[in-house]
Amino acid sequence: MNLDLSPADMAFRDDVRAFLADNLPQPLCHAARMTPSVFVEPDIYLEWQAILRRKGWLAYSWPEEEGGTGWTPVQRYIFERECAFAHAPHIAVQGLKLLAPVLHRFASPAQKAFFLPRILSGEHLWCQGYSEPEAGSDLASLRTRAMRDGDHYVVDGTKIWTTNAHLSNWIFCLVRTDASVKPQQGISFLLIDMATPGISVSPIELISGDRELNQVFFDSVHVPAANLVGAEGQGWTMAKYLLEQERGGSCQAPGLLMALEELREAAQTLPARGGGTLCDDADFMHRLAMVELAALGMDMFELQSIADIAAGRVVGPKTALTGLYTATIRQDIDRLRLEAHGPGGLRLENHRPLYGADAPILIGREDAMLAMPAFLNNKAWSIMAGSNEVMRTIIARTVVNL
Amino acid sequence: MDFNLSDEQTALSDSLSRFIDYHYSAEQRARACGRTEGFDPDNWRKLAETGLVMLALREESGGLGGSAIDMMVALQALGPGLILDPWLPTIIVARIIEQAGSAAQKRAWLERLAGGQVLIGFAHSEARGWGRLNHCETRAVPEGGGGYRLDGAKAMALGVGGGSLLITARTSGAADDPQGISVFLVDKAIPGLSRQPFRLADGSVAEGLILTDCHVGPDAIVGDADHAFPLLQRIIAHACAMLSSEAIGILDRMMADTAEHLRTRRQFGVALGSFQVLQHRMADCAAELELARALVVRAAMHLSDPAIAPAEQWIAAFGAKAFCGTAAVRIAEECVQFHGAMGLTQELWVGRAMKRLVLIAGLFGDARAHTEGNDLIRKADIIR
């Protein structure tokens, strides 16, 4: 047993670290740190993506034959880990990491040739149309209908919780093309230009004040049949394929460790109840330490998963735990941070962004302004991509064998 | 990166699992527990003969030079037995003598300790210590001729039944100073030493000590006066990693037993495991156990890695025990709850296991003591 990287991976890590040190603009890092929502603003991620693209690293999770780096799972993991430690902004996952793998595996050569370069260039900004008002955790019950009419599909229905739909020019959707078969079998995967007549986007006001989620309405929207990925009825398989791609290869702990580092650093200067700084509050520091331990445990857990994948071993059902860990630890951190800032954390600033020339007037500490909206936004972690309750049911079945 | 056990480690695990199967049935354990010393000395010799203590000792002192990972593997395998044998005080005492003792002390004790032929108890913790290793109020005042006079009280001496004790005492400084702690090897027959044996949660026996005007000779001190604290930190950190590994071994069996119970026990016409509330609580237990396991592996890897600074190794070990102990108690309470009233009977393994886990969580300090003042995340460490 050892944690050592191979000499080749070590050299790779040094390359990544050197690249980040030389090319990651500090204002972008600051913007990423001061973003209370799950995703950063497009101007931030587009600037970072352009830098990565020039280096040839934007498609770091893509296979080489699709124009990607062809990195091994370990290299991808190292890259994400180093990015997290460097506070790099997240790239736009919808196109690069959620849609692209489906296109790689299931799309026609023509579809690949058209869409993949536009994902890389940032010309197409994608959003994901999965959830519906009546189909959340129970995704297979989705009802947005796509009826074949000649060389078009006519789409009617609605998608909800669509992140950044208002900023996107394309949406990939799971739609029902056949209502007569088992729910999972009647679902297809359709790519839709947001400029198509009949689509409307309405914002959803969130408790944090962030403008991030939307409801998208489809009213007789005519989509070329050429935008169907794979065959009719294959949509559910594709959604599941994507989940399998994600499973086991996660790199969430480093970001959590960095957030904890910042909190421990803040504790050195934040005033504590009863005088002194928060570092003198043994109760708070103990609770912080226990969350730090959970994050360190999760870090090891992810490393083990990557080592398994690298060795060609089948990753076990235990990887279903990472979703639960990410949500729980993330929210523990946010709760602690809110507490750490005391009265200063009670401010809920509705203005965005919280950084740059247009930032709100600073009252007290900059990080205090982040505490409340981040706490509110990050409640999403235990709901999105399979709620904690769905995850627990999966874990009970596959890990505990109940 | 490699998270696999070597062939030797797998063999070690298998042989200790077999030891548990042959020597630790519920009846055998109950019989051993019923003895005055709380364990069966014959059984302990047999366990020692498997090489458990030898594994913990360095090759240059005749040991097998096992790593912290080897010890993790061993204790995890022993866990399900809820073993009563004094492996913990013996390994601690043997390591202290090995790492600080004189050549004569090593010659006199190490081999027989490792073979289970003699037993030396270990006494450090005191009533006001709360698991802080730097706390020591028991005093050792130098006397003419190089001897010392010991006065004070020890809350819990582990390892009962032998003729000697390894006792920490303060040769200088105030109660909580790291500097000034020394270790003494004391004969139990010494005048002025009174011992009160008591049972611990798992049925094993410990002793409270009161030392009044105990005179020991110059050969009683182990290592240099005043400098025992780093030694204690190192050896107790390893002990905490081993205890955490034992807890993981116990918890694995506990989760398996409880899952089996939930699959087979029927109430209201259905298996208990069909209730979602129980499924989700078991899922949370499984999640916590995997984090604890990962931290124990991390601690063992850190303790085995000479490239990591000692202080960071120890923080990883104490941190693992903090998390592991807390998780163990929570999971044990859940599993006992899921067994219903049967979980409260001495007959069922799960209740006995909970008692061992609660004891492990508190030995050498609780979670609060293990995390106090420690910055657990080191950049140099995580960015490795």
Side-chain angles (χ1 to χ4, degrees), chain B residues 346-363:
Chain B
Q346 181 67 10
E347 180 192 340
L348 222 62
W349 181 89
V350 69
R352 300 197 303 272
M354 179 168 80
K355 293 195 285 182
R356 177 69 190 160
L357 290 172
V358 173
L359 177 62
I360 288 174
L363 275 179

Side-chain angles (χ1 to χ4, degrees), chain A residues 247-313:
Chain A
R247 190 158 293 170
S250 65
C251 182
Q252 296 286 350
L256 299 172
L257 290 170
M258 290 311 283
L260 284 160
E261 273 267 313
E262 281 175 31
L263 189 51
R264 192 174 268 272
E265 210 176 292
Q268 316 253 348
T269 49
L270 280 166
R273 66 190 84 211
T277 66
L278 203 51
C279 288
D280 306 317
D281 182 339
D283 171 55
F284 180 86
M285 293 310 283
H286 174 62
R287 286 184 286 128
L288 174 61
M290 293 306 280
V291 180
E292 287 175 333
L293 286 166
L296 286 168
M298 182 184 169
D299 189 38
M300 279 295 288
F301 188 84
E302 288 186 322
L303 277 169
Q304 290 189 27
S305 299
I306 287 295
D308 278 342
I309 294 170
R313 282 188 293 276

Side-chain angles (χ1 to χ4, degrees), chain A residues 22-356:
Chain A
D22 294 341
N23 294 282
L24 175 57
Q26 284 310 302
L28 293 189
C29 301
H30 181 248
R33 290 163 86 149
M34 287 305 293
T35 299
S37 50
V38 178
F39 300 100
V40 294
E41 305 280 341
D43 59 324
I44 301 301
Y45 70 69
L46 284 174
E47 185 180 340
W48 178 227
Q49 286 183 188
I51 295 167
L52 287 174
R53 194 177 173 218
R54 279 197 294 278
K55 175 75 178 169
W57 285 359
L58 179 57
Y60 72 89
S61 59
W62 295 14
E64 209 168 354
E65 60 271 23
E66 305 289 358
T69 53
W71 286 346
T72 65
V74 176
Q75 287 177 311
R76 292 203 292 266
Y77 174 84
I78 290 171
F79 177 72
E80 290 189 4
R81 190 177 175 85
E82 291 300 320
C83 284
F85 288 146
H87 287 291
H90 289 297
I91 59 172
V93 292
Q94 282 87 352
L96 285 159
K97 296 188 80 174
L98 300 179
L99 173 62
V102 171
L103 295 181
H104 295 156
R105 172 79 175 76
F106 298 99
S108 68
Q111 286 172 330
K112 286 188 193 180
F114 181 73
F115 288 109
L116 291 176
R118 288 172 173 80
I119 292 176
L120 289 179
S121 71
E123 181 188 333
H124 286 178
L125 300 183
W126 285 90
C127 56
Q128 174 181 270
Y130 281 14
S131 293
E132 297 183 5
E134 300 300 323
S137 292
D138 179 15
L139 186 60
S141 68
L142 62 89
R143 293 195 295 211
T144 293
R145 195 180 49 180
M147 299 288 284
R148 185 68 184 250
D149 179 14
D151 55 359
H152 279 77
Y153 285 98
V154 181
V155 180
D156 283 282
T158 180
K159 293 289 176 183
I160 198 167
W161 319 125
T162 319
T163 303
N164 286 353
H166 60 304
L167 305 168
S168 301
N169 44 22
W170 280 82
I171 182 169
F172 57 96
C173 287
L174 291 178
V175 292
R176 187 159 300 287
T177 42
D178 188 348
S180 66
V181 293
K182 257 183 63 182
Q184 284 85 348
Q185 286 165 3
I187 295 172
S188 302
F189 198 98
L190 203 54
L191 311 175
I192 304 174
D193 186 339
M194 291 289 279
T196 319
I199 296 180
S200 58
V201 174
S202 74
I204 298 170
E205 192 185 347
L206 295 176
I207 50 177
S208 63
D210 276 278
R211 166 80 171 92
E212 189 173 40
L213 300 187
N214 304 272
Q215 185 164 4
V216 183
F217 297 92
F218 300 88
D219 181 12
S220 291
V221 176
H222 281 62
V223 180
N227 287 6
L228 178 77
V229 180
E232 270 191 22
Q234 235 187 331
W236 191 253
T237 310
M238 296 179 196
K240 274 201 337 202
Y241 172 78
L242 189 63
L243 277 179
E244 284 158 21
Q245 293 296 296
E246 289 180 319
R247 190 158 293 170
S250 65
C251 182
Q252 296 286 350
L256 299 172
L257 290 170
M258 290 311 283
L260 284 160
E261 273 267 313
E262 281 175 31
L263 189 51
R264 192 174 268 272
E265 210 176 292
Q268 316 253 348
T269 49
L270 280 166
R273 66 190 84 211
T277 66
L278 203 51
C279 288
D280 306 317
D281 182 339
D283 171 55
F284 180 86
M285 293 310 283
H286 174 62
R287 286 184 286 128
L288 174 61
M290 293 306 280
V291 180
E292 287 175 333
L293 286 166
L296 286 168
M298 182 184 169
D299 189 38
M300 279 295 288
F301 188 84
E302 288 186 322
L303 277 169
Q304 290 189 27
S305 299
I306 287 295
D308 278 342
I309 294 170
R313 282 188 293 276
V314 180
V315 285
K318 281 179 185 174
T319 50
L321 293 164
T322 46
L324 199 56
Y325 292 150
T326 308
T328 307
I329 298 171
R330 178 82 259 168
Q331 292 173 354
D332 285 346
I333 296 170
D334 284 310
R335 206 177 301 109
L336 281 174
R337 179 165 57 182
L338 198 58
E339 179 186 334
H341 285 282
L346 298 180
R347 174 182 182 186
L348 178 56
E349 177 55 59
N350 278 310
H351 178 85
R352 295 289 181 278
L354 296 174
Y355 51 83

